[in-house]
Amino acid sequence: ETGVTQSPTHLIKTRGQQVTLRCSSQSGHNTVSWYQQALGQGPQFIFQYYREEENGRGNFPPRFSGLQFPNYSSELNVNALELDDSALYLCASFKAGRANTGELFFGEGSRLTVL
Amino acid sequence: DAKTTQPTSMDCAEGRAANLPCNHSTISGNEYVYWYRQIHSQGPQYIIHGLKNNETNEMASLIITEDRKSSTLILPHATLRDTAVYYCIVISFWAGGGNKLTFGTGTQLKVEL
């Protein structure tokens, strides 16, 4: 286990609703990244948070937003849910800076189903 | 980020070495090669990474060609628990100490008795 915890593990929403997913980073890590993994595909980078600010973003629309809190935990918010948002959402943490080896520590993910 | 190309699937007998190839012909000089694996329904797990030299750790060995255009991940004695999707990733760092992973579709390794 990596020490990265995500909640909820599974959830079902309907189109147009909003969802919030949560992530607690591993102790000592100050950066959190979020990835979306559709069925049968590799994870796709959504965005990254460092020092409570977004400091990198993939090709995702603005209805995907996030927060990072002073304790380095993070939330992913998705508004106006679409069917294609159904996926496994993965959170990963690491310590940015000179100690960064590029190794990301992933949680087990939150599986979102949009009906 | 440099793209990677991997075979879709591979089979390996338990106890034998599993050699997983990856092509990354457009890699730039400061980009590293990382390998992760994802066991069904779990988050990806880091295995190993390298820049130019071959690397070995308790899980695997990484062989990078001299021109850095391809690499091979070696699991020396594959077990059933090594059945997973293996991702070869070329990582880019950006200012501020951040990094992102660009995953492909990976190689589904099936280890069989």
Side-chain angles (χ1 to χ4, degrees), chain B residues 11-38:
Chain B
D11 293 333
C12 178
E14 189 177 35
R16 304 296 296 269
N19 297 282
L20 291 89
C22 179
N23 180 287
H24 34 78
S25 59
T26 61
I27 192 171
S28 61
N30 61 350
E31 288 181 317
Y32 288 74
V33 179
Y34 278 71
W35 284 82
Y36 280 75
R37 74 180 183 184
Q38 188 173 23

mmCIF file with all atom_site columns, all heavy atoms in Angstrom, chain B residues 11-38:
data_model
loop_
_atom_site.group_PDB
_atom_site.id
_atom_site.type_symbol
_atom_site.label_atom_id
_atom_site.label_alt_id
_atom_site.label_comp_id
_atom_site.label_asym_id
_atom_site.label_entity_id
_atom_site.label_seq_id
_atom_site.pdbx_PDB_ins_code
_atom_site.Cartn_x
_atom_site.Cartn_y
_atom_site.Cartn_z
_atom_site.occupancy
_atom_site.B_iso_or_equiv
_atom_site.pdbx_formal_charge
_atom_site.auth_seq_id
_atom_site.auth_comp_id
_atom_site.auth_asym_id
_atom_site.auth_atom_id
_atom_site.pdbx_PDB_model_num
ATOM 1   N N   . ASP B 1 11 ? 2.636  -13.253 -23.022 1.00 0.00 ? 11 ASP B N   1
ATOM 2   C CA  . ASP B 1 11 ? 2.477  -14.352 -22.081 1.00 0.00 ? 11 ASP B CA  1
ATOM 3   C C   . ASP B 1 11 ? 3.852  -14.791 -21.583 1.00 0.00 ? 11 ASP B C   1
ATOM 4   O O   . ASP B 1 11 ? 4.851  -14.677 -22.302 1.00 0.00 ? 11 ASP B O   1
ATOM 5   C CB  . ASP B 1 11 ? 1.791  -15.549 -22.749 1.00 0.00 ? 11 ASP B CB  1
ATOM 6   C CG  . ASP B 1 11 ? 0.352  -15.238 -23.128 1.00 0.00 ? 11 ASP B CG  1
ATOM 7   O OD1 . ASP B 1 11 ? -0.253 -14.373 -22.464 1.00 0.00 ? 11 ASP B OD1 1
ATOM 8   O OD2 . ASP B 1 11 ? -0.154 -15.857 -24.079 1.00 0.00 ? 11 ASP B OD2 1
ATOM 9   N N   . CYS B 1 12 ? 3.869  -15.313 -20.370 1.00 0.00 ? 12 CYS B N   1
ATOM 10  C CA  . CYS B 1 12 ? 5.130  -15.780 -19.789 1.00 0.00 ? 12 CYS B CA  1
ATOM 11  C C   . CYS B 1 12 ? 4.818  -16.941 -18.856 1.00 0.00 ? 12 CYS B C   1
ATOM 12  O O   . CYS B 1 12 ? 3.811  -16.915 -18.135 1.00 0.00 ? 12 CYS B O   1
ATOM 13  C CB  . CYS B 1 12 ? 5.797  -14.634 -19.021 1.00 0.00 ? 12 CYS B CB  1
ATOM 14  S SG  . CYS B 1 12 ? 7.347  -15.083 -18.212 1.00 0.00 ? 12 CYS B SG  1
ATOM 15  N N   . ALA B 1 13 ? 5.683  -17.934 -18.868 1.00 0.00 ? 13 ALA B N   1
ATOM 16  C CA  . ALA B 1 13 ? 5.532  -19.064 -17.955 1.00 0.00 ? 13 ALA B CA  1
ATOM 17  C C   . ALA B 1 13 ? 6.074  -18.689 -16.583 1.00 0.00 ? 13 ALA B C   1
ATOM 18  O O   . ALA B 1 13 ? 7.105  -18.008 -16.468 1.00 0.00 ? 13 ALA B O   1
ATOM 19  C CB  . ALA B 1 13 ? 6.266  -20.281 -18.503 1.00 0.00 ? 13 ALA B CB  1
ATOM 20  N N   . GLU B 1 14 ? 5.378  -19.127 -15.551 1.00 0.00 ? 14 GLU B N   1
ATOM 21  C CA  . GLU B 1 14 ? 5.820  -18.835 -14.196 1.00 0.00 ? 14 GLU B CA  1
ATOM 22  C C   . GLU B 1 14 ? 7.227  -19.354 -13.971 1.00 0.00 ? 14 GLU B C   1
ATOM 23  O O   . GLU B 1 14 ? 7.565  -20.467 -14.369 1.00 0.00 ? 14 GLU B O   1
ATOM 24  C CB  . GLU B 1 14 ? 4.858  -19.448 -13.175 1.00 0.00 ? 14 GLU B CB  1
ATOM 25  C CG  . GLU B 1 14 ? 5.140  -18.988 -11.749 1.00 0.00 ? 14 GLU B CG  1
ATOM 26  C CD  . GLU B 1 14 ? 4.157  -19.538 -10.738 1.00 0.00 ? 14 GLU B CD  1
ATOM 27  O OE1 . GLU B 1 14 ? 3.711  -20.686 -10.917 1.00 0.00 ? 14 GLU B OE1 1
ATOM 28  O OE2 . GLU B 1 14 ? 3.845  -18.816 -9.768  1.00 0.00 ? 14 GLU B OE2 1
ATOM 29  N N   . GLY B 1 15 ? 8.051  -18.524 -13.324 1.00 0.00 ? 15 GLY B N   1
ATOM 30  C CA  . GLY B 1 15 ? 9.427  -18.899 -13.049 1.00 0.00 ? 15 GLY B CA  1
ATOM 31  C C   . GLY B 1 15 ? 10.410 -18.477 -14.126 1.00 0.00 ? 15 GLY B C   1
ATOM 32  O O   . GLY B 1 15 ? 11.620 -18.446 -13.884 1.00 0.00 ? 15 GLY B O   1
ATOM 33  N N   . ARG B 1 16 ? 9.889  -18.151 -15.296 1.00 0.00 ? 16 ARG B N   1
ATOM 34  C CA  . ARG B 1 16 ? 10.758 -17.694 -16.378 1.00 0.00 ? 16 ARG B CA  1
ATOM 35  C C   . ARG B 1 16 ? 10.873 -16.178 -16.346 1.00 0.00 ? 16 ARG B C   1
ATOM 36  O O   . ARG B 1 16 ? 10.093 -15.487 -15.687 1.00 0.00 ? 16 ARG B O   1
ATOM 37  C CB  . ARG B 1 16 ? 10.187 -18.140 -17.734 1.00 0.00 ? 16 ARG B CB  1
ATOM 38  C CG  . ARG B 1 16 ? 9.951  -19.628 -17.872 1.00 0.00 ? 16 ARG B CG  1
ATOM 39  C CD  . ARG B 1 16 ? 11.252 -20.408 -17.797 1.00 0.00 ? 16 ARG B CD  1
ATOM 40  N NE  . ARG B 1 16 ? 12.156 -20.116 -18.899 1.00 0.00 ? 16 ARG B NE  1
ATOM 41  C CZ  . ARG B 1 16 ? 12.175 -20.787 -20.037 1.00 0.00 ? 16 ARG B CZ  1
ATOM 42  N NH1 . ARG B 1 16 ? 11.342 -21.785 -20.251 1.00 0.00 ? 16 ARG B NH1 1
ATOM 43  N NH2 . ARG B 1 16 ? 13.047 -20.464 -20.986 1.00 0.00 ? 16 ARG B NH2 1
ATOM 44  N N   . ALA B 1 17 ? 11.861 -15.668 -17.072 1.00 0.00 ? 17 ALA B N   1
ATOM 45  C CA  . ALA B 1 17 ? 12.022 -14.215 -17.157 1.00 0.00 ? 17 ALA B CA  1
ATOM 46  C C   . ALA B 1 17 ? 10.996 -13.640 -18.122 1.00 0.00 ? 17 ALA B C   1
ATOM 47  O O   . ALA B 1 17 ? 10.762 -14.189 -19.192 1.00 0.00 ? 17 ALA B O   1
ATOM 48  C CB  . ALA B 1 17 ? 13.428 -13.873 -17.618 1.00 0.00 ? 17 ALA B CB  1
ATOM 49  N N   . ALA B 1 18 ? 10.406 -12.526 -17.736 1.00 0.00 ? 18 ALA B N   1
ATOM 50  C CA  . ALA B 1 18 ? 9.499  -11.789 -18.618 1.00 0.00 ? 18 ALA B CA  1
ATOM 51  C C   . ALA B 1 18 ? 10.249 -10.566 -19.126 1.00 0.00 ? 18 ALA B C   1
ATOM 52  O O   . ALA B 1 18 ? 10.757 -9.783  -18.324 1.00 0.00 ? 18 ALA B O   1
ATOM 53  C CB  . ALA B 1 18 ? 8.243  -11.375 -17.871 1.00 0.00 ? 18 ALA B CB  1
ATOM 54  N N   . ASN B 1 19 ? 10.336 -10.452 -20.446 1.00 0.00 ? 19 ASN B N   1
ATOM 55  C CA  . ASN B 1 19 ? 11.033 -9.334  -21.067 1.00 0.00 ? 19 ASN B CA  1
ATOM 56  C C   . ASN B 1 19 ? 10.025 -8.471  -21.809 1.00 0.00 ? 19 ASN B C   1
ATOM 57  O O   . ASN B 1 19 ? 9.484  -8.890  -22.834 1.00 0.00 ? 19 ASN B O   1
ATOM 58  C CB  . ASN B 1 19 ? 12.096 -9.826  -22.040 1.00 0.00 ? 19 ASN B CB  1
ATOM 59  C CG  . ASN B 1 19 ? 13.176 -10.634 -21.344 1.00 0.00 ? 19 ASN B CG  1
ATOM 60  O OD1 . ASN B 1 19 ? 14.063 -10.075 -20.715 1.00 0.00 ? 19 ASN B OD1 1
ATOM 61  N ND2 . ASN B 1 19 ? 13.074 -11.945 -21.418 1.00 0.00 ? 19 ASN B ND2 1
ATOM 62  N N   . LEU B 1 20 ? 9.781  -7.283  -21.304 1.00 0.00 ? 20 LEU B N   1
ATOM 63  C CA  . LEU B 1 20 ? 8.769  -6.414  -21.890 1.00 0.00 ? 20 LEU B CA  1
ATOM 64  C C   . LEU B 1 20 ? 9.452  -5.263  -22.632 1.00 0.00 ? 20 LEU B C   1
ATOM 65  O O   . LEU B 1 20 ? 10.119 -4.447  -22.014 1.00 0.00 ? 20 LEU B O   1
ATOM 66  C CB  . LEU B 1 20 ? 7.835  -5.866  -20.809 1.00 0.00 ? 20 LEU B CB  1
ATOM 67  C CG  . LEU B 1 20 ? 6.894  -6.886  -20.155 1.00 0.00 ? 20 LEU B CG  1
ATOM 68  C CD1 . LEU B 1 20 ? 7.572  -7.539  -18.955 1.00 0.00 ? 20 LEU B CD1 1
ATOM 69  C CD2 . LEU B 1 20 ? 5.607  -6.230  -19.746 1.00 0.00 ? 20 LEU B CD2 1
ATOM 70  N N   . PRO B 1 21 ? 9.260  -5.181  -23.948 1.00 0.00 ? 21 PRO B N   1
ATOM 71  C CA  . PRO B 1 21 ? 9.926  -4.133  -24.732 1.00 0.00 ? 21 PRO B CA  1
ATOM 72  C C   . PRO B 1 21 ? 9.109  -2.853  -24.801 1.00 0.00 ? 21 PRO B C   1
ATOM 73  O O   . PRO B 1 21 ? 7.889  -2.861  -24.649 1.00 0.00 ? 21 PRO B O   1
ATOM 74  C CB  . PRO B 1 21 ? 10.030 -4.773  -26.115 1.00 0.00 ? 21 PRO B CB  1
ATOM 75  C CG  . PRO B 1 21 ? 8.804  -5.635  -26.194 1.00 0.00 ? 21 PRO B CG  1
ATOM 76  C CD  . PRO B 1 21 ? 8.536  -6.132  -24.791 1.00 0.00 ? 21 PRO B CD  1
ATOM 77  N N   . CYS B 1 22 ? 9.816  -1.770  -25.057 1.00 0.00 ? 22 CYS B N   1
ATOM 78  C CA  . CYS B 1 22 ? 9.170  -0.473  -25.226 1.00 0.00 ? 22 CYS B CA  1
ATOM 79  C C   . CYS B 1 22 ? 9.991  0.356   -26.205 1.00 0.00 ? 22 CYS B C   1
ATOM 80  O O   . CYS B 1 22 ? 11.218 0.424   -26.106 1.00 0.00 ? 22 CYS B O   1
ATOM 81  C CB  . CYS B 1 22 ? 9.075  0.249   -23.891 1.00 0.00 ? 22 CYS B CB  1
ATOM 82  S SG  . CYS B 1 22 ? 8.310  1.894   -23.998 1.00 0.00 ? 22 CYS B SG  1
ATOM 83  N N   . ASN B 1 23 ? 9.309  0.958   -27.140 1.00 0.00 ? 23 ASN B N   1
ATOM 84  C CA  . ASN B 1 23 ? 9.961  1.840   -28.100 1.00 0.00 ? 23 ASN B CA  1
ATOM 85  C C   . ASN B 1 23 ? 9.646  3.283   -27.765 1.00 0.00 ? 23 ASN B C   1
ATOM 86  O O   . ASN B 1 23 ? 8.478  3.633   -27.555 1.00 0.00 ? 23 ASN B O   1
ATOM 87  C CB  . ASN B 1 23 ? 9.493  1.506   -29.523 1.00 0.00 ? 23 ASN B CB  1
ATOM 88  C CG  . ASN B 1 23 ? 10.151 2.396   -30.562 1.00 0.00 ? 23 ASN B CG  1
ATOM 89  O OD1 . ASN B 1 23 ? 9.825  3.571   -30.683 1.00 0.00 ? 23 ASN B OD1 1
ATOM 90  N ND2 . ASN B 1 23 ? 11.092 1.850   -31.291 1.00 0.00 ? 23 ASN B ND2 1
ATOM 91  N N   . HIS B 1 24 ? 10.664 4.111   -27.676 1.00 0.00 ? 24 HIS B N   1
ATOM 92  C CA  . HIS B 1 24 ? 10.476 5.548   -27.391 1.00 0.00 ? 24 HIS B CA  1
ATOM 93  C C   . HIS B 1 24 ? 11.479 6.326   -28.229 1.00 0.00 ? 24 HIS B C   1
ATOM 94  O O   . HIS B 1 24 ? 12.355 7.020   -27.699 1.00 0.00 ? 24 HIS B O   1
ATOM 95  C CB  . HIS B 1 24 ? 10.606 5.850   -25.893 1.00 0.00 ? 24 HIS B CB  1
ATOM 96  C CG  . HIS B 1 24 ? 11.590 4.990   -25.160 1.00 0.00 ? 24 HIS B CG  1
ATOM 97  N ND1 . HIS B 1 24 ? 12.950 5.182   -25.204 1.00 0.00 ? 24 HIS B ND1 1
ATOM 98  C CD2 . HIS B 1 24 ? 11.376 3.927   -24.349 1.00 0.00 ? 24 HIS B CD2 1
ATOM 99  C CE1 . HIS B 1 24 ? 13.549 4.276   -24.446 1.00 0.00 ? 24 HIS B CE1 1
ATOM 100 N NE2 . HIS B 1 24 ? 12.626 3.492   -23.927 1.00 0.00 ? 24 HIS B NE2 1
ATOM 101 N N   . SER B 1 25 ? 11.319 6.209   -29.538 1.00 0.00 ? 25 SER B N   1
ATOM 102 C CA  . SER B 1 25 ? 12.311 6.740   -30.473 1.00 0.00 ? 25 SER B CA  1
ATOM 103 C C   . SER B 1 25 ? 12.417 8.259   -30.456 1.00 0.00 ? 25 SER B C   1
ATOM 104 O O   . SER B 1 25 ? 13.420 8.811   -30.931 1.00 0.00 ? 25 SER B O   1
ATOM 105 C CB  . SER B 1 25 ? 12.000 6.257   -31.892 1.00 0.00 ? 25 SER B CB  1
ATOM 106 O OG  . SER B 1 25 ? 10.708 6.668   -32.274 1.00 0.00 ? 25 SER B OG  1
ATOM 107 N N   . THR B 1 26 ? 11.406 8.967   -29.944 1.00 0.00 ? 26 THR B N   1
ATOM 108 C CA  . THR B 1 26 ? 11.453 10.434  -29.946 1.00 0.00 ? 26 THR B CA  1
ATOM 109 C C   . THR B 1 26 ? 11.862 11.003  -28.590 1.00 0.00 ? 26 THR B C   1
ATOM 110 O O   . THR B 1 26 ? 11.705 12.203  -28.352 1.00 0.00 ? 26 THR B O   1
ATOM 111 C CB  . THR B 1 26 ? 10.093 11.017  -30.354 1.00 0.00 ? 26 THR B CB  1
ATOM 112 O OG1 . THR B 1 26 ? 9.111  10.587  -29.404 1.00 0.00 ? 26 THR B OG1 1
ATOM 113 C CG2 . THR B 1 26 ? 9.687  10.554  -31.745 1.00 0.00 ? 26 THR B CG2 1
ATOM 114 N N   . ILE B 1 27 ? 12.399 10.182  -27.728 1.00 0.00 ? 27 ILE B N   1
ATOM 115 C CA  . ILE B 1 27 ? 12.785 10.647  -26.399 1.00 0.00 ? 27 ILE B CA  1
ATOM 116 C C   . ILE B 1 27 ? 13.855 11.730  -26.508 1.00 0.00 ? 27 ILE B C   1
ATOM 117 O O   . ILE B 1 27 ? 14.731 11.681  -27.370 1.00 0.00 ? 27 ILE B O   1
ATOM 118 C CB  . ILE B 1 27 ? 13.280 9.455   -25.549 1.00 0.00 ? 27 ILE B CB  1
ATOM 119 C CG1 . ILE B 1 27 ? 13.411 9.847   -24.078 1.00 0.00 ? 27 ILE B CG1 1
ATOM 120 C CG2 . ILE B 1 27 ? 14.585 8.904   -26.108 1.00 0.00 ? 27 ILE B CG2 1
ATOM 121 C CD1 . ILE B 1 27 ? 13.679 8.647   -23.165 1.00 0.00 ? 27 ILE B CD1 1
ATOM 122 N N   . SER B 1 28 ? 13.748 12.724  -25.658 1.00 0.00 ? 28 SER B N   1
ATOM 123 C CA  . SER B 1 28 ? 14.740 13.791  -25.665 1.00 0.00 ? 28 SER B CA  1
ATOM 124 C C   . SER B 1 28 ? 15.764 13.529  -24.555 1.00 0.00 ? 28 SER B C   1
ATOM 125 O O   . SER B 1 28 ? 15.562 12.680  -23.691 1.00 0.00 ? 28 SER B O   1
ATOM 126 C CB  . SER B 1 28 ? 14.081 15.153  -25.464 1.00 0.00 ? 28 SER B CB  1
ATOM 127 O OG  . SER B 1 28 ? 13.431 15.204  -24.221 1.00 0.00 ? 28 SER B OG  1
ATOM 128 N N   . GLY B 1 29 ? 16.850 14.299  -24.619 1.00 0.00 ? 29 GLY B N   1
ATOM 129 C CA  . GLY B 1 29 ? 17.996 13.987  -23.784 1.00 0.00 ? 29 GLY B CA  1
ATOM 130 C C   . GLY B 1 29 ? 17.773 14.038  -22.287 1.00 0.00 ? 29 GLY B C   1
ATOM 131 O O   . GLY B 1 29 ? 18.457 13.366  -21.528 1.00 0.00 ? 29 GLY B O   1
ATOM 132 N N   . ASN B 1 30 ? 16.817 14.828  -21.846 1.00 0.00 ? 30 ASN B N   1
ATOM 133 C CA  . ASN B 1 30 ? 16.602 14.966  -20.407 1.00 0.00 ? 30 ASN B CA  1
ATOM 134 C C   . ASN B 1 30 ? 15.357 14.227  -19.917 1.00 0.00 ? 30 ASN B C   1
ATOM 135 O O   . ASN B 1 30 ? 14.890 14.466  -18.807 1.00 0.00 ? 30 ASN B O   1
ATOM 136 C CB  . ASN B 1 30 ? 16.502 16.446  -20.037 1.00 0.00 ? 30 ASN B CB  1
ATOM 137 C CG  . ASN B 1 30 ? 15.335 17.129  -20.729 1.00 0.00 ? 30 ASN B CG  1
ATOM 138 O OD1 . ASN B 1 30 ? 14.711 16.538  -21.617 1.00 0.00 ? 30 ASN B OD1 1
ATOM 139 N ND2 . ASN B 1 30 ? 15.026 18.339  -20.318 1.00 0.00 ? 30 ASN B ND2 1
ATOM 140 N N   . GLU B 1 31 ? 14.829 13.374  -20.745 1.00 0.00 ? 31 GLU B N   1
ATOM 141 C CA  . GLU B 1 31 ? 13.644 12.612  -20.346 1.00 0.00 ? 31 GLU B CA  1
ATOM 142 C C   . GLU B 1 31 ? 14.031 11.235  -19.836 1.00 0.00 ? 31 GLU B C   1
ATOM 143 O O   . GLU B 1 31 ? 14.899 10.564  -20.400 1.00 0.00 ? 31 GLU B O   1
ATOM 144 C CB  . GLU B 1 31 ? 12.664 12.483  -21.520 1.00 0.00 ? 31 GLU B CB  1
ATOM 145 C CG  . GLU B 1 31 ? 11.957 13.794  -21.860 1.00 0.00 ? 31 GLU B CG  1
ATOM 146 C CD  . GLU B 1 31 ? 10.974 13.643  -23.008 1.00 0.00 ? 31 GLU B CD  1
ATOM 147 O OE1 . GLU B 1 31 ? 11.308 12.970  -23.994 1.00 0.00 ? 31 GLU B OE1 1
ATOM 148 O OE2 . GLU B 1 31 ? 9.870  14.203  -22.903 1.00 0.00 ? 31 GLU B OE2 1
ATOM 149 N N   . TYR B 1 32 ? 13.364 10.823  -18.771 1.00 0.00 ? 32 TYR B N   1
ATOM 150 C CA  . TYR B 1 32 ? 13.602 9.532   -18.150 1.00 0.00 ? 32 TYR B CA  1
ATOM 151 C C   . TYR B 1 32 ? 12.582 8.511   -18.661 1.00 0.00 ? 32 TYR B C   1
ATOM 152 O O   . TYR B 1 32 ? 11.471 8.860   -19.053 1.00 0.00 ? 32 TYR B O   1
ATOM 153 C CB  . TYR B 1 32 ? 13.458 9.640   -16.632 1.00 0.00 ? 32 TYR B CB  1
ATOM 154 C CG  . TYR B 1 32 ? 14.574 10.389  -15.941 1.00 0.00 ? 32 TYR B CG  1
ATOM 155 C CD1 . TYR B 1 32 ? 14.670 11.768  -16.033 1.00 0.00 ? 32 TYR B CD1 1
ATOM 156 C CD2 . TYR B 1 32 ? 15.507 9.714   -15.165 1.00 0.00 ? 32 TYR B CD2 1
ATOM 157 C CE1 . TYR B 1 32 ? 15.677 12.454  -15.390 1.00 0.00 ? 32 TYR B CE1 1
ATOM 158 C CE2 . TYR B 1 32 ? 16.518 10.390  -14.508 1.00 0.00 ? 32 TYR B CE2 1
ATOM 159 C CZ  . TYR B 1 32 ? 16.595 11.753  -14.633 1.00 0.00 ? 32 TYR B CZ  1
ATOM 160 O OH  . TYR B 1 32 ? 17.594 12.430  -13.990 1.00 0.00 ? 32 TYR B OH  1
ATOM 161 N N   . VAL B 1 33 ? 12.961 7.266   -18.562 1.00 0.00 ? 33 VAL B N   1
ATOM 162 C CA  . VAL B 1 33 ? 12.048 6.165   -18.866 1.00 0.00 ? 33 VAL B CA  1
ATOM 163 C C   . VAL B 1 33 ? 11.591 5.564   -17.539 1.00 0.00 ? 33 VAL B C   1
ATOM 164 O O   . VAL B 1 33 ? 12.419 5.173   -16.711 1.00 0.00 ? 33 VAL B O   1
ATOM 165 C CB  . VAL B 1 33 ? 12.727 5.084   -19.719 1.00 0.00 ? 33 VAL B CB  1
ATOM 166 C CG1 . VAL B 1 33 ? 11.739 3.946   -19.983 1.00 0.00 ? 33 VAL B CG1 1
ATOM 167 C CG2 . VAL B 1 33 ? 13.232 5.671   -21.031 1.00 0.00 ? 33 VAL B CG2 1
ATOM 168 N N   . TYR B 1 34 ? 10.290 5.530   -17.352 1.00 0.00 ? 34 TYR B N   1
ATOM 169 C CA  . TYR B 1 34 ? 9.702  4.958   -16.147 1.00 0.00 ? 34 TYR B CA  1
ATOM 170 C C   . TYR B 1 34 ? 8.827  3.761   -16.520 1.00 0.00 ? 34 TYR B C   1
ATOM 171 O O   . TYR B 1 34 ? 8.214  3.725   -17.582 1.00 0.00 ? 34 TYR B O   1
ATOM 172 C CB  . TYR B 1 34 ? 8.819  5.982   -15.434 1.00 0.00 ? 34 TYR B CB  1
ATOM 173 C CG  . TYR B 1 34 ? 9.569  6.952   -14.567 1.00 0.00 ? 34 TYR B CG  1
ATOM 174 C CD1 . TYR B 1 34 ? 10.362 7.949   -15.132 1.00 0.00 ? 34 TYR B CD1 1
ATOM 175 C CD2 . TYR B 1 34 ? 9.497  6.871   -13.179 1.00 0.00 ? 34 TYR B CD2 1
ATOM 176 C CE1 . TYR B 1 34 ? 11.062 8.834   -14.335 1.00 0.00 ? 34 TYR B CE1 1
ATOM 177 C CE2 . TYR B 1 34 ? 10.201 7.750   -12.379 1.00 0.00 ? 34 TYR B CE2 1
ATOM 178 C CZ  . TYR B 1 34 ? 10.977 8.726   -12.961 1.00 0.00 ? 34 TYR B CZ  1
ATOM 179 O OH  . TYR B 1 34 ? 11.676 9.607   -12.164 1.00 0.00 ? 34 TYR B OH  1
ATOM 180 N N   . TRP B 1 35 ? 8.789  2.808   -15.602 1.00 0.00 ? 35 TRP B N   1
ATOM 181 C CA  . TRP B 1 35 ? 7.873  1.690   -15.752 1.00 0.00 ? 35 TRP B CA  1
ATOM 182 C C   . TRP B 1 35 ? 6.969  1.621   -14.528 1.00 0.00 ? 35 TRP B C   1
ATOM 183 O O   . TRP B 1 35 ? 7.436  1.689   -13.388 1.00 0.00 ? 35 TRP B O   1
ATOM 184 C CB  . TRP B 1 35 ? 8.631  0.371   -15.911 1.00 0.00 ? 35 TRP B CB  1
ATOM 185 C CG  . TRP B 1 35 ? 9.227  0.197   -17.273 1.00 0.00 ? 35 TRP B CG  1
ATOM 186 C CD1 . TRP B 1 35 ? 10.409 0.707   -17.746 1.00 0.00 ? 35 TRP B CD1 1
ATOM 187 C CD2 . TRP B 1 35 ? 8.675  -0.560  -18.351 1.00 0.00 ? 35 TRP B CD2 1
ATOM 188 N NE1 . TRP B 1 35 ? 10.609 0.324   -19.036 1.00 0.00 ? 35 TRP B NE1 1
ATOM 189 C CE2 . TRP B 1 35 ? 9.576  -0.458  -19.439 1.00 0.00 ? 35 TRP B CE2 1
ATOM 190 C CE3 . TRP B 1 35 ? 7.515  -1.321  -18.504 1.00 0.00 ? 35 TRP B CE3 1
ATOM 191 C CZ2 . TRP B 1 35 ? 9.343  -1.091  -20.665 1.00 0.00 ? 35 TRP B CZ2 1
ATOM 192 C CZ3 . TRP B 1 35 ? 7.295  -1.943  -19.716 1.00 0.00 ? 35 TRP B CZ3 1
ATOM 193 C CH2 . TRP B 1 35 ? 8.194  -1.829  -20.790 1.00 0.00 ? 35 TRP B CH2 1
ATOM 194 N N   . TYR B 1 36 ? 5.674  1.490   -14.816 1.00 0.00 ? 36 TYR B N   1
ATOM 195 C CA  . TYR B 1 36 ? 4.663  1.260   -13.797 1.00 0.00 ? 36 TYR B CA  1
ATOM 196 C C   . TYR B 1 36 ? 3.880  0.017   -14.198 1.00 0.00 ? 36 TYR B C   1
ATOM 197 O O   . TYR B 1 36 ? 3.846  -0.359  -15.369 1.00 0.00 ? 36 TYR B O   1
ATOM 198 C CB  . TYR B 1 36 ? 3.687  2.444   -13.711 1.00 0.00 ? 36 TYR B CB  1
ATOM 199 C CG  . TYR B 1 36 ? 4.193  3.634   -12.940 1.00 0.00 ? 36 TYR B CG  1
ATOM 200 C CD1 . TYR B 1 36 ? 5.146  4.485   -13.496 1.00 0.00 ? 36 TYR B CD1 1
ATOM 201 C CD2 . TYR B 1 36 ? 3.721  3.907   -11.662 1.00 0.00 ? 36 TYR B CD2 1
ATOM 202 C CE1 . TYR B 1 36 ? 5.607  5.578   -12.786 1.00 0.00 ? 36 TYR B CE1 1
ATOM 203 C CE2 . TYR B 1 36 ? 4.180  5.004   -10.945 1.00 0.00 ? 36 TYR B CE2 1
ATOM 204 C CZ  . TYR B 1 36 ? 5.125  5.831   -11.515 1.00 0.00 ? 36 TYR B CZ  1
ATOM 205 O OH  . TYR B 1 36 ? 5.597  6.912   -10.811 1.00 0.00 ? 36 TYR B OH  1
ATOM 206 N N   . ARG B 1 37 ? 3.225  -0.576  -13.240 1.00 0.00 ? 37 ARG B N   1
ATOM 207 C CA  . ARG B 1 37 ? 2.308  -1.654  -13.560 1.00 0.00 ? 37 ARG B CA  1
ATOM 208 C C   . ARG B 1 37 ? 1.005  -1.442  -12.808 1.00 0.00 ? 37 ARG B C   1
ATOM 209 O O   . ARG B 1 37 ? 0.971  -0.781  -11.775 1.00 0.00 ? 37 ARG B O   1
ATOM 210 C CB  . ARG B 1 37 ? 2.901  -3.016  -13.237 1.00 0.00 ? 37 ARG B CB  1
ATOM 211 C CG  . ARG B 1 37 ? 2.976  -3.366  -11.754 1.00 0.00 ? 37 ARG B CG  1
ATOM 212 C CD  . ARG B 1 37 ? 3.575  -4.747  -11.589 1.00 0.00 ? 37 ARG B CD  1
ATOM 213 N NE  . ARG B 1 37 ? 3.610  -5.176  -10.188 1.00 0.00 ? 37 ARG B NE  1
ATOM 214 C CZ  . ARG B 1 37 ? 4.159  -6.316  -9.784  1.00 0.00 ? 37 ARG B CZ  1
ATOM 215 N NH1 . ARG B 1 37 ? 4.710  -7.141  -10.666 1.00 0.00 ? 37 ARG B NH1 1
ATOM 216 N NH2 . ARG B 1 37 ? 4.152  -6.632  -8.505  1.00 0.00 ? 37 ARG B NH2 1
ATOM 217 N N   . GLN B 1 38 ? -0.054 -2.016  -13.351 1.00 0.00 ? 38 GLN B N   1
ATOM 218 C CA  . GLN B 1 38 ? -1.369 -1.870  -12.758 1.00 0.00 ? 38 GLN B CA  1
ATOM 219 C C   . GLN B 1 38 ? -2.041 -3.229  -12.731 1.00 0.00 ? 38 GLN B C   1
ATOM 220 O O   . GLN B 1 38 ? -2.375 -3.787  -13.788 1.00 0.00 ? 38 GLN B O   1
ATOM 221 C CB  . GLN B 1 38 ? -2.222 -0.864  -13.536 1.00 0.00 ? 38 GLN B CB  1
ATOM 222 C CG  . GLN B 1 38 ? -3.529 -0.532  -12.856 1.00 0.00 ? 38 GLN B CG  1
ATOM 223 C CD  . GLN B 1 38 ? -4.271 0.598   -13.563 1.00 0.00 ? 38 GLN B CD  1
ATOM 224 O OE1 . GLN B 1 38 ? -4.074 0.860   -14.740 1.00 0.00 ? 38 GLN B OE1 1
ATOM 225 N NE2 . GLN B 1 38 ? -5.144 1.298   -12.821 1.00 0.00 ? 38 GLN B NE2 1
#
